[in-house]
Amino acid sequence: MQSGFGMLEMGSAAKGHEVMIMLKNVYDVVFGALAYYAFGFGISWGSPSNSFMGLGRYFLDITSDDYQNTGVVFSSFIFQFSFAATSTTIVSGCVAMRCRFEVYCLYSFYAVLVYAFVAHWVWASNGWLAQLGVHDFAGSGPVHLLGAASGLNAILWLGPRRGRFDGTVPREHFKPSSPENILFGLFMLWWGWIGFNCGSSFGITGLRWIVATRAGVTTICSTAGGGSLALVYTKIKNRGKRLNAEEVANGILGSLVAITATCACVHPPEARAGLVDLDIGF
Amino acid sequence: MQSGFGMLEMGSAAKGHEVMIMLKNVYDVVFGALAYYAFGFGISWGSPSNSFMGLGRYFLDITSDDYQNTGVVFSSFIFQFSFAATSTTIVSGCVAMRCRFEVYCLYSFYAVLVYAFVAHWVWASNGWLAQLGVHDFAGSGPVHLLGAASGLNAILWLGPRRGRFDGTVPREHFKPSSPENILFGLFMLWWGWIGFNCGSSFGITGLRWIVATRAGVTTICSTAGGGSLALVYTKIKNRGKRLNAEEVANGILGSLVAITATCACVHPPEARAGLVDLDIGF
Amino acid sequence: MQSGFGMLEMGSAAKGHEVMIMLKNVYDVVFGALAYYAFGFGISWGSPSNSFMGLGRYFLDITSDDYQNTGVVFSSFIFQFSFAATSTTIVSGCVAMRCRFEVYCLYSFYAVLVYAFVAHWVWASNGWLAQLGVHDFAGSGPVHLLGAASGLNAILWLGPRRGRFDGTVPREHFKPSSPENILFGLFMLWWGWIGFNCGSSFGITGLRWIVATRAGVTTICSTAGGGSLALVYTKIKNRGKRLNAEEVANGILGSLVAITATCACVHPPEARAGLVDLDIGF
């Protein structure tokens, strides 16, 4: 998914900015991994913990009296880290072409820490949002909403790209460099996302594999809807003349974001007995 | 595999057509998913069913008296949908550069329905071809032969691209835009295909994992043969001067198509005791 | 991983050489598969065997008296072949732009045979290096060190590219054609590698899944270190002015190579009880 996202951003950026955007995505993972290893995992999933944050497992500390948890801790680190890296990467698209590389590196480190708190609130059994009954299957809140809020914040702070709206730089300079790359990135993200939502059932034991397959089905159906609507939208907007690859990609990605939280709860129309999942705590 | 296929087609298309081809591949999946969800899955795998088509499970209908099948239905929907989408996507390569986008969308919807009937005939236990003893492990018939037949049909109907053979447009206008993309797409398809053939054992329970591994081995060996022959062919055709990336890609893809139906039955020369699979119903 | 590696090499090569490099990667797999099927697997994993080489299972021969091993032999063929192909592909980068295609094909076949001997020495239970106590979890020795040694050998034999150092060809002719492709290839390799190291536990049965997760964690942490150091290096070398995509990619890939042998033994600082793996023979 990181590859697909990098490709999509690279294609959307104006000519001359592609390499810098890919480098930002690379250091997103690098500094995200450092931050998540050192503090993030402990904040989200450490034990002991209170409703606000975890207090253990910093630096993946596994003491000798709980070594039998090694496998569980390590596997959840790998899976949870992929969430954390996704969350920070969202902002790289927002600040593309208008943020210094060094500042972005600092941000990557910092954003993982912010993410870690919110993930604890929503997903840890004693997080305060979880206690209030919040249900988020695969991360619409801690991943997508948080990423989008950070991105909006960054945009408001940085202001528009120089010359973008005051007419001093011709509009062609801001055109996406490669619609082909946008669509290729879309494909990689799309299939990755289906796997991501399926994988969020945290296993295939017991009845969980049913939840995983339902998440896959609703994700596929959701993008069918998002893609159809994007087609209608781009046709009307461009008066039936041409399709805009960006608008299509955004329609499909929007539907993927929208289904992420609920992909295991909603059911395809008519698949009524899908309600079985209520029995297994999802 | 959709990503790889899109990349390969994009690289094969003449300059200026790349974005439209990727968009066709995107809507292939979108309208294919709609059609498969609404009708295709029911036609192929619905119950009750007769030897011609299934009569239930339209719109993934799971009634409350068979809710215990939810997981099986959902997981087979995801897997079978990937077959259906592959089948329709084959035609997008055939009609590249000479079909209106709107017509292609209609086709995507329609092609999935056609596919659904053939898949029922071959793979459902009471399909009439299955009853006659047809064996197709991973879809050479319903996927590749059907896709190729649709494509041939479409080509005959549409005729050649304007100026392709009457000399009014210079030949350079029809040259593939990017042999690099062809070969990169080939790689993605290749490895995806090995996984696809392995996965067609529908599970790794019991002796099925042996069938899965055999499918992987024969697929690898098959492409070794296809690639070697393609090298000899392109060398002779071009008089030893240069290699043609398209011809190499077609040789390897041809060998992948050829092994798909039988990848679980044939055995590598000398791996005689591979005959064990006859005992487990494949 | 082959896709990622091809992409990375393609981006690193000078303009005009991209297609030939991808073709070399394609025939790497084709002739590698032929060689590994015919001789390589037998040399590495055949039985009976002595400390120098295996003496059976050439051409994947499974005789009727050991047909119950079919699944094990076939699955290890698929997994081991991916190692063998990786090993030979390393050299394609070393000899890029200065080796005839036909010679490279011969090399691919030959290199797999060389690899097969070394793999037997290190990984077969009676290989002489294994008997001496060599431990190599995921192939730093037989894959990366052997590939690098072959590559160095080839470089010394071939000499530098014409005009590279004598000033007869302008330096721009040797510039990487596409830093974007280098970074995109890096992403594909990176995530593939994490999976590769995890998968090298040869299964998730018993306590092996713990080893697999540990390999994933150490691989992620290792690249965080490699990436950070590469950033410092490229900043100092270029006097803080610009980042060099190649140097960043090499830093991260170097850290991946470095962790490959030991990814299941070392533990993240503080994860002390990770020592549990000593109990399960790794």
Side-chain angles (χ1 to χ4, degrees), chain B residues 102-126:
Chain B
E102 292 75 15
V103 177
Y104 186 76
C105 288
L106 276 178
Y107 160 77
S108 290
F109 195 93
Y110 169 76
V112 163
L113 303 190
V114 174
Y115 162 81
F117 282 100
V118 182
H120 180 77
W121 301 345
V122 173
W123 283 320
S125 55
N126 64 345

Side-chain angles (χ1 to χ4, degrees), chain C residues 35-259:
Chain C
Y36 200 65
Y37 161 66
F39 308 111
F41 188 76
I43 292 169
S44 287
W45 303 101
S47 73
S49 67
N50 55 39
S51 68
F52 184 71
M53 65 185 286
L55 299 164
R57 301 247 188 266
Y58 292 94
F59 298 93
L60 270 187
D61 190 8
I62 295 166
T63 50
S64 47
D65 50 303
D66 67 348
Y67 76 90
Q68 69 279 11
N69 293 323
T70 310
V72 176
V73 170
F74 281 2
S75 64
S76 78
F77 176 82
I78 297 171
F79 189 71
Q80 297 298 334
F81 168 62
S82 71
F83 275 95
T86 305
S87 169
T88 61
T89 223
I90 288 168
V91 178
S92 72
C94 299
V95 300
M97 303 163 61
R98 60 183 131 168
C99 174
R100 280 181 56 213
F101 180 78
E102 292 75 14
V103 177
Y104 186 76
C105 289
L106 276 178
Y107 159 77
S108 290
F109 194 94
Y110 169 75
V112 164
L113 303 189
V114 174
Y115 162 81
F117 282 101
V118 182
H120 179 78
W121 301 345
V122 174
W123 283 321
S125 55
N126 64 345
W128 67 270
L129 283 170
Q131 298 270 336
L132 288 174
V134 170
H135 170 88
D136 190 334
F137 186 67
S140 279
V143 178
H144 298 288
L145 186 57
L146 181 67
S150 303
L152 183 61
N153 196 10
I155 288 170
L156 293 173
W157 200 20
L158 291 170
R161 285 161 290 176
R162 273 186 210 128
R164 176 71 182 86
F165 295 110
D166 57 11
T168 55
V169 177
R171 284 199 70 154
E172 297 87 74
H173 283 247
F174 298 107
K175 269 182 63 179
S177 62
S178 165
E180 297 92 332
N181 283 353
I182 293 180
L183 293 173
F184 181 68
L186 168 66
F187 264 115
M188 294 192 74
L189 267 172
W190 195 343
W191 294 107
W193 214 307
I194 294 172
F196 194 74
N197 282 358
C198 287
S200 296
S201 63
F202 297 112
I204 52 168
T205 49
L207 288 170
R208 286 187 169 180
W209 72 279
I210 298 179
V211 176
T213 58
R214 170 200 285 258
V217 170
T218 52
T219 307
I220 291 171
C221 288
S222 162
T223 54
S228 307
L229 206 64
L231 183 60
V232 173
Y233 173 81
T234 189
K235 275 282 177 193
I236 291 173
K237 193 175 155 207
N238 301 301
R239 291 181 201 164
K241 274 178 202 148
R242 48 185 285 282
L243 295 161
N244 184 319
E246 278 175 284
E247 285 161 13
V248 167
N250 284 338
I252 291 172
L253 292 175
S255 68
L256 283 165
V257 169
I259 199 68

Side-chain angles (χ1 to χ4, degrees), chain B residues 4 7-8 10-11 177-186, chain C residues 7 10:
Chain B
M7 201 56 153
L8 186 112
M10 200 164 85
S177 62
S178 165
E180 297 92 332
N181 283 354
I182 293 180
L183 293 172
F184 181 66
L186 168 67
Chain C
M7 201 56 153
M10 200 163 85

Side-chain angles (χ1 to χ4, degrees), chain A residues 158-245:
Chain A
L158 291 170
R161 286 161 288 176
R162 270 183 212 132
R164 176 71 182 82
F165 295 110
D166 58 10
T168 55
V169 177
R171 285 198 69 150
E172 297 87 74
H173 283 247
F174 298 107
K175 270 182 62 179
S177 63
S178 165
E180 297 91 332
N181 283 353
I182 293 180
L183 293 172
F184 181 67
L186 167 67
F187 263 115
M188 295 191 75
L189 266 172
W190 196 344
W191 295 107
W193 214 305
I194 294 172
F196 194 75
N197 281 357
C198 288
S200 295
S201 64
F202 297 114
I204 51 169
T205 49
L207 288 171
R208 287 188 168 178
W209 72 279
I210 298 179
V211 176
T213 57
R214 169 199 286 257
V217 171
T218 53
T219 307
I220 291 171
C221 288
S222 162
T223 53
S228 306
L229 206 63
L231 184 59
V232 173
Y233 173 81
T234 189
K235 275 281 177 193
I236 291 174
K237 193 175 157 209
N238 301 301
R239 294 181 200 166
K241 274 178 201 147
R242 48 185 284 283
L243 295 162
N244 184 318

Side-chain angles (χ1 to χ4, degrees), chain A residues 7 179-181 183-184 186-188 190-191 194 198 209-210 212-217 220-221 223-228 230-231 234-235 240 243-245 248 252 268-274 276 279, chain B residues 1-4 6-7 10 18-20 22-23 25-27 29-31 33-34 37 58-68 70-75 77-78 81-82 85 101-102 105 184 188:
Chain A
M7 202 55 152
E180 297 91 332
N181 283 353
L183 293 172
F184 181 67
L186 167 67
F187 263 115
M188 295 191 75
W190 196 344
W191 295 107
I194 294 172
C198 288
W209 72 279
I210 298 179
T213 57
R214 169 199 286 257
V217 171
I220 291 171
C221 288
T223 53
S228 306
L231 184 59
T234 189
K235 275 281 177 193
L243 295 162
N244 184 318
V248 167
I252 291 173
E270 302 302 318
R272 285 158 284 173
V276 64
D279 306 342
Chain B
M1 284 177 78
Q2 285 274 346
S3 314
M7 201 56 153
M10 200 164 85
E18 297 100 327
V19 176
M20 193 43 89
M22 280 305 265
L23 281 172
N25 277 293
V26 168
Y27 279 97
V29 179
V30 166
F31 290 113
L34 274 180
Y37 160 65
Y58 292 92
F59 298 94
L60 270 187
D61 189 9
I62 295 167
T63 50
S64 49
D65 49 304
D66 67 348
Y67 75 90
Q68 69 280 10
T70 310
V72 176
V73 170
F74 281 2
S75 64
F77 176 82
I78 298 171
F81 168 63
S82 72
F101 180 77
E102 292 75 15
C105 288
F184 181 66
M188 294 191 75

